[in-house]
Amino acid sequence: MDSGPDSSTTHLNWGNVGLAFSFILLDGVLSTTFGLGVGSSLITAAVRCVVQLSVVALILQKVFETNNPWAVAGMACLLNLMGTAETVVNKSKKRYDYMFPSVLLGMLGSTIPVSIIGIRFAMDVDPFWKPEQYIPVVGMLCGSTISGIVVSVTYVLKELYDNRDKVEMYLAFGASRFEACKPIARDALRLALTPNINQMSVIGIIAIPGMMTGAILGGSSVEQAARLQMVIMFMISSCTALSSIVTTILALGVVVDNEHRVRTDRIDTREHAVYRARNWVIAKIVDGVKAVGFGIINGVRKLVGKRDSGEQAEAPERERLLG
């Protein structure tokens, strides 16, 4: 690391990042050694992390320089949109109809109002849309809401798809869909909020969180960094709760219709359409390469066959002339 003589912060270069990347390589080697099967996933996730953070750094630098509220709003919407795509496409093994707009509504309805109120009043930032304040907070809120939504929706769809008999029994005995789905919703929300509860219970005693660490490294006093972390944690918990509640209700409303029927036909257990399209394109490319390869091989065989037949035809004539 190279830092100036009068600088209180360190300046990292790609060599430092490469050194830290060696930890991931060590994890990959251990995964291969013990047969865990997560080595390639670790490497892929680490490469994605490098690429995504590099791109985000370039974009954020431009947004910070413009200091435009519309650019900040666009960045916040983009973060929510990418978070929704990550949730629906990559994180969910089961999906339901209209899941993308449902998750997007849950994320926008939680991250945007909580971030505006929290930054303007709890963090006392005026105007609230200052890029260096607003965008990092929205990014943290989006990351936390993704985890909560994935946990809650995954549990709901698993129960309705694998254990639909329980819900149908309640419905058969005259329960409304709200009464029949209430236990599932309660357990799903409990699972979604448990990680935040555990994190708040150990924060400061066992773990020093990243926001507080970053503020301290950035030169803030420890007291101010601790208070900032408290505000952020409360905002994260509120966002996770709101988004999980919205998406859970919407998921139950889609899968259990207004005629009190469990519609498992609205649950898709296949790979997402993006991956199916990718596999189709790859299969077509492979088939095309095979066809070209077989065509070349057949052409070479025909040329060789013609040459051999020509030589066989010339042999009797040569023997007659020489004889």
Side-chain angles (χ1 to χ4, degrees), residues 67 69 115-134:
N67 198 30
S115 61
I116 292 175
I117 296 172
I119 293 175
R120 176 61 187 91
F121 298 103
M123 295 175 61
D124 198 20
V125 176
D126 188 21
F128 70 88
W129 53 264
K130 285 184 177 180
E132 62 275 8
Q133 300 279 349
Y134 189 79

Side-chain angles (χ1 to χ4, degrees), residues 105-260:
L105 177 63
M107 292 193 66
L108 288 173
S110 59
T111 58
I112 300 302
V114 170
S115 61
I116 292 175
I117 296 172
I119 293 175
R120 176 61 187 91
F121 298 103
M123 295 175 61
D124 198 20
V125 176
D126 188 21
F128 70 88
W129 53 264
K130 285 184 177 180
E132 62 275 8
Q133 300 279 349
Y134 189 79
I135 295 177
V137 171
V138 171
M140 286 188 293
L141 297 181
C142 288
S144 299
T145 55
I146 288 174
S147 301
I149 290 172
V150 168
V151 170
S152 60
V153 172
T154 299
Y155 182 83
V156 167
L157 297 183
K158 179 180 180 299
E159 287 295 310
L160 291 177
Y161 191 83
D162 298 336
N163 302 315
R164 58 180 293 181
D165 295 342
K166 297 179 181 179
V167 179
E168 289 180 337
M169 183 182 67
Y170 284 122
L171 295 173
F173 278 98
S176 65
R177 61 174 176 170
F178 172 78
E179 293 169 338
C181 296
K182 184 178 179 181
I184 296 177
R186 183 177 59 243
D187 292 340
L189 295 175
R190 183 183 293 116
L191 287 174
L193 296 178
T194 296
N196 280 327
I197 296 173
N198 294 337
Q199 187 178 8
M200 283 192 293
S201 64
V202 301
I203 198 169
I205 299 177
I206 301 173
I208 297 179
M211 189 70 181
M212 182 176 175
T213 303
I216 294 173
L217 293 176
S220 299
S221 66
V222 178
E223 183 179 4
Q224 287 297 313
R227 292 175 181 173
L228 176 62
Q229 185 62 57
M230 296 174 198
V231 173
I232 295 298
M233 284 304 304
F234 299 154
M235 293 170 64
I236 287 175
S237 298
S238 174
C239 248
T240 304
L242 287 174
S243 60
S244 300
I245 291 171
V246 170
T247 51
T248 298
I249 293 175
L250 292 175
L252 290 171
V254 170
V255 180
V256 183
D257 62 17
N258 54 9
E259 295 185 4
H260 311 290

Side-chain angles (χ1 to χ4, degrees), residues 1-3 10-23:
M1 291 185 295
D2 44 314
S3 56
T10 56
H11 299 276
L12 304 179
N13 54 38
W14 286 109
N16 303 119
V17 177
L19 180 61
F21 189 80
S22 63
F23 300 142

Side-chain angles (χ1 to χ4, degrees), residues 290-306:
K290 286 182 179 179
V292 172
F294 287 141
I296 294 174
I297 293 173
N298 291 333
V300 172
R301 285 178 178 175
K302 289 179 180 179
L303 290 176
V304 173
K306 288 181 178 179

